[in-house]
Amino acid sequence: IADVLRRLLRLPWAECEAYVLKCMIKVVRGRASNVPLVVSLAYGLAQYYESAGVALVDGVLESIRDGLEQPGQGTYQKRTADVRLL
């Protein structure tokens, strides 16, 4: 985690913030065992960039809201993964 955090901190955050947060949300949807790793990484980023924590929570809540507004067969597992991350 420390190595990945160090590499993320080297990125130009203003340009890459949205993409990094989107990728973090996608990783959680893939496997439930990744949730603690993503949370640890998000905590480390939030210590340096306050907007990272707020944007991640906002993105997760928006994803949950979209899933509730448009229910479908494939969205139940995605929504469950998002709730675990929250």
Side-chain angles (χ1 to χ4, degrees):
I1 296 293
D3 186 45
V4 173
L5 180 61
R6 213 173 313 121
R7 289 179 187 211
L8 285 176
L9 291 174
R10 291 181 190 163
L11 291 174
W13 190 249
E15 299 171 10
C16 300
E17 178 180 11
Y19 180 72
V20 169
L21 296 176
K22 182 178 87 169
C23 289
M24 288 172 70
I25 292 173
K26 278 188 168 185
V27 166
V28 170
R29 289 182 182 168
R31 194 169 262 210
S33 63
N34 292 336
V35 172
L37 300 173
V38 171
V39 169
S40 177
L41 190 58
Y43 174 73
L45 283 174
Q47 289 180 342
Y48 293 96
Y49 303 110
E50 185 177 322
S51 64
V54 174
L56 183 65
V57 171
D58 184 50
V60 170
L61 288 175
E62 184 175 331
S63 176
I64 293 170
R65 182 183 55 83
D66 289 343
L68 290 173
E69 287 178 354
Q70 300 172 1
Q73 288 282 336
T75 61
Y76 297 121
Q77 289 181 344
K78 291 179 185 178
R79 208 171 331 136
T80 304
D82 289 339
V83 169
R84 286 182 187 161
L85 178 60
L86 188 62

